[in-house]
Amino acid sequence: MSYRLNTDNINSFPSTKRASVNKLMTENSVTRLINRLVDVDGFVITTGLTDVDFTQDLSIDVWHNNLADFEFVIRGYYFSISRGSSISGLDYLLTTTQFNFSDEEEHTLFAGIFIDKTYPEFPELYGQEDIQGEYQAIIFYTSDEEKPDPPSGLTEYDFYEFPLVKYMQKDDGSWGRFVPLDSLFKFSSISISNIDGGEISL
């Protein structure tokens, strides 16, 4: 089963149909710029979080303890899941998607988006409208489920998915929910292996 979030709890940018913005600044012009600056399809944003150990997968408690929004980028599109008065944005996401397991098997929560390429010069995020209070442009599903089918009538598209949270085993043998370290990286190892042009020697 897949899930969508309440429209009041999630924001996205760029999104020409969701907010009144300058139409000359197309979605593609913004997302293309972001995608040229980074070389991964997505990443979780950790700015503003405190007491974070970036040498290991991040426990979901990091967001809970900071009572923080949960922010991430998929293919140049920024999403922010709002915190509530007593829960973080990540808590809200995990509760809504029922991403809670007790077995000893890895599970991954993915976010997926469809990019409508009906007009190749102006690709845009598909599903930016709200239906019955749910934002349609992003969908969440687990690794044990099939990837979402394209919406009815959408024939020219790209689909991108991004792993947000994993239920996995820790070094001490216990199981828990974590934002994987790989999901925080904005660059692949190839692009940073010689980032200084060979000027710095350690």
Side-chain angles (χ1 to χ4, degrees), residues 9-193:
N9 290 89
I10 187 163
N11 296 303
S12 61
F13 176 84
S15 181
T16 55
K17 292 181 180 175
R18 190 158 167 85
S20 177
V21 297
N22 183 349
K23 301 297 183 184
L24 294 177
M25 186 181 74
T26 66
E27 289 183 21
N28 187 47
S29 65
V30 176
T31 57
R32 188 177 63 226
L33 173 64
I34 295 170
N35 291 327
R36 289 184 180 208
L37 292 173
V38 300
D39 57 5
V40 294
D41 279 341
F43 57 91
V44 172
I45 299 170
T46 57
T47 306
L49 298 178
T50 59
D51 299 322
V52 179
D53 178 3
F54 289 109
T55 64
Q56 58 186 353
D57 302 311
L58 301 186
S59 168
I60 62 170
D61 293 340
V62 171
W63 278 266
H64 178 77
N65 295 338
N66 284 271
L67 199 61
D69 294 342
F70 187 58
E71 303 170 281
F72 55 94
V73 172
I74 303 177
R75 201 58 191 167
Y77 286 89
Y78 165 82
F79 297 93
S80 174
I81 301 175
S82 304
R83 64 184 180 272
S85 58
S86 59
I87 65 169
S88 70
L90 183 53
D91 290 331
Y92 169 73
L93 173 64
L94 297 177
T95 299
T96 302
T97 58
Q98 302 176 35
F99 190 74
N100 192 20
F101 299 91
S102 58
D103 59 353
E104 294 186 351
E105 183 177 342
E106 285 196 2
H107 302 276
T108 303
L109 178 65
F110 287 92
I113 60 173
F114 288 92
I115 305 299
D116 184 352
K117 298 180 70 177
T118 304
Y119 303 99
E121 297 83 7
F122 299 100
E124 64 180 25
L125 184 64
Y126 184 84
Q128 297 178 40
E129 68 277 2
D130 303 327
I131 297 178
Q132 296 180 343
E134 292 182 336
Y135 183 44
Q136 301 297 301
I138 187 166
I139 191 165
F140 302 91
Y141 54 96
T142 62
S143 51
D144 8 284
E145 299 167 331
E146 292 190 17
K147 293 181 182 180
D149 292 326
S152 176
L154 182 63
T155 57
E156 301 295 327
Y157 64 89
D158 286 329
F159 177 74
Y160 297 96
E161 65 177 2
F162 177 62
L164 294 175
V165 182
K166 285 189 176 183
Y167 176 72
M168 64 177 79
Q169 190 172 27
K170 297 192 291 186
D171 291 338
D172 64 5
S174 63
W175 289 77
R177 294 174 295 174
F178 299 87
V179 174
L181 197 56
D182 288 349
S183 293
L184 307 180
F185 299 148
K186 300 175 183 68
F187 304 100
S188 71
S189 59
I190 295 173
S191 69
I192 62 174
S193 61

